[in-house]
Amino acid sequence: MPDTSGYGYDIRDDDTLVGDDNSSVSSLGSASTLVSEGANPGRRLPNIRPHIDHRVDVVIIGSGITAVGVALSILPLMASRGMAPNVFVLEAMGLCHEGATQHDALMSFLPCRVFRPDGGLLPEKVLDFQVKNAEAVKELESKYLDAGAREFEMEELYDNDEDLEFGKRTQRPLDELYPQYGATILEGDEVPHYGPLRARGARTHTARLIRLHKLVTSIWADLRTQYANLCISTNTCVRHITLTTGSSHPYIVTSSWGSIRARHVVHATASSAPRLLPEIGLTAGWKHRLLLRPGARFPKREGKHIWALHLESHPFTVIRLPGGNDEIDELLIDWEWVSGRDHGDMLSTVDQIYSYMESVFGPEWKDAEIMPQNRSSTIGITGDSLPFVGRIPQDYTNRGVSSSEQAAVEAPFSDDGGLATPGEWISAGYNGQDTAFALLSGYAVGIQIAGMENEELEMVPGRPGGRLNDWFPKEELSLDDDRMMRANLGPLG
């Protein structure tokens, strides 16, 4: 990324926004445009709030499904009180560029995370949260029809008895809790057979493939038409955050574009959170996707099928998309990759996946004439496989606030403007399972910033009704000392 510091602004001690020529600037853009620098200097972007002040109430870092959830909470909830806090979204690249948002996203109505790393069953509230999150995404799909969700049959193949027993163990509590989304365990002659390797068993259930990018961009477009207090700046990389004292807007967020003051800062992306919050133990990883053309003998299964396969420590999914007027007949192979492993290891993993695919589906599983494409996206990884959601204690932001000032920053509520007391927040670290956690996690953060976590809220499309504690597993996902001990990955080799 080119150095764009020459385009930036800064904040003087008297809180005046100034340009490089030391001239005062009264807004972040003109009445019709906002110049967003960063990756594409000079690109002109729509400015929803003309003459927005350099002091804003909430800065959201990232513009994916989590950020949408935060905005969908704060903007309408505060509007219902006759208030319009300034919300500024900073996106390092293009709108909704981060993570799985760029790709078709696989979503299961059954929980993706069922057990703790030690093998114990996760609390029922965490399982319910994943189911509710999938239902919430589906509700937003119904409202924003161009999301184009498709239902697929998902088939998890187990090639040994140990994996089959794990599949059975996973399914037992889910059958009791969510019979409406029940899966089927297949054994013996019921197990599908495709190639040389005969699976010992399988688990089948319904999943959906969502064009998450279209869904998220549709929601942002709707919000931008409704709320003049929402501003979005793309190609704007956040460089660092400073916490000051003696100000109603204690956070200075410095980006490739310039600096602004904020009451609240929300980390809603795994791309920058590990860098901006090095103390919390969030590790950057990658999700890779290979796009290939299936071979002539690859099972068609009506063109809408997903296989979940387990290659030692590298589980991966194979998605067959149907041919049609709007898309080619293709295979998508997804797998996750923890940072710290070198490129050679990744290429070796691809070779292993290819070899395993041949054993499962036969030697002509892919079209050898078509060169595969690789697409990668950043994911956040935590040690306990659950996301970080909520206010970040000052001990974990390392912003250098003294103990007497820390108490003021972390007080639960403020009488100023109806928002919670200023603070830093996070909703990230989904371990590649954005469709299981991200939307409602963003909603939960937004509700807390709005100071309404103890209020009975009406159910709306994309969010359950009731109090936040009725559906959000705060004890499991929030940041405290016990959670940090469970979730800290430590150094990766």
Side-chain angles (χ1 to χ4, degrees), residues 5-12 14-28 54 257-259:
S5 58
Y7 299 101
Y9 300 103
D10 207 344
I11 296 178
R12 293 199 302 235
D14 60 356
D15 290 342
T16 301
L17 189 66
V18 297
D20 290 336
D21 60 355
N22 209 38
S23 60
S24 297
V25 180
S26 62
S27 70
L28 294 178
H54 69 279
W257 181 87
S259 299

Side-chain angles (χ1 to χ4, degrees), residues 25-46:
V25 180
S26 62
S27 70
L28 294 178
S30 68
S32 60
T33 60
L34 171 67
V35 179
S36 177
E37 308 298 344
N40 297 308
R43 180 184 178 189
R44 299 178 73 79
L45 302 168

Side-chain angles (χ1 to χ4, degrees), residues 332-350:
L332 310 178
I333 300 180
D334 290 349
W335 78 98
E336 297 169 12
W337 192 259
V338 178
S339 63
R341 294 169 175 162
D342 62 33
H343 187 64
D345 285 341
M346 192 194 77
L347 294 178
S348 175
T349 299
V350 173

Side-chain angles (χ1 to χ4, degrees), residues 33-215:
T33 60
L34 171 67
V35 179
S36 177
E37 308 298 344
N40 297 308
R43 180 184 178 189
R44 299 178 73 79
L45 302 168
N47 182 13
I48 303 309
R49 174 80 184 276
H51 305 297
I52 189 171
D53 190 73
H54 69 279
R55 289 171 173 258
V56 300
D57 294 297
V58 182
V59 166
I60 303 174
I61 304 173
S63 64
I65 188 66
T66 299
V68 158
V70 177
L72 280 171
S73 280
I74 294 174
L75 294 170
L77 287 176
M78 298 308 292
S80 69
R81 290 181 167 180
M83 301 175 183
N86 297 327
V87 177
F88 202 161
V89 178
L90 299 179
E91 168 57 57
M93 303 184 76
L95 192 66
C96 317
H97 189 278
E98 189 235 339
T101 313
Q102 274 288 299
H103 303 155
D104 286 359
L106 175 62
M107 184 178 78
S108 171
F109 288 101
L110 292 173
C112 297
R113 296 283 183 247
V114 178
F115 298 106
R116 299 183 186 276
D118 62 7
L121 186 69
L122 284 169
E124 186 175 330
K125 198 168 185 178
V126 177
L127 303 180
D128 284 345
F129 185 70
Q130 297 177 65
V131 173
K132 285 182 170 63
N133 190 85
E135 292 170 343
V137 173
K138 183 180 179 180
E139 290 169 3
L140 288 183
E141 288 179 312
S142 299
K143 183 176 180 180
Y144 301 92
L145 298 179
D146 60 350
R150 293 151 288 177
E151 289 200 349
F152 286 63
E153 182 184 7
M154 186 164 184
E155 185 178 295
E156 300 180 32
L157 292 177
Y158 306 115
D159 61 7
N160 59 68
D161 291 334
E162 182 179 356
D163 287 345
L164 175 57
E165 287 305 312
F166 179 78
K168 292 179 179 179
R169 178 171 170 251
T170 299
Q171 189 55 37
R172 287 186 196 110
L174 302 185
D175 282 339
E176 296 178 8
L177 294 171
Y178 315 108
Q180 71 274 31
Y181 299 126
T184 302
I185 298 292
L186 304 178
E187 298 183 76
D189 294 338
E190 297 178 319
V191 181
H193 176 60
Y194 304 105
L197 181 64
R198 184 176 293 275
R200 301 292 295 172
R203 176 174 172 254
T204 65
H205 56 95
T206 301
R208 295 169 72 87
L209 201 63
I210 307 161
R211 291 190 177 101
L212 202 54
H213 182 269
K214 287 190 175 182
L215 176 61

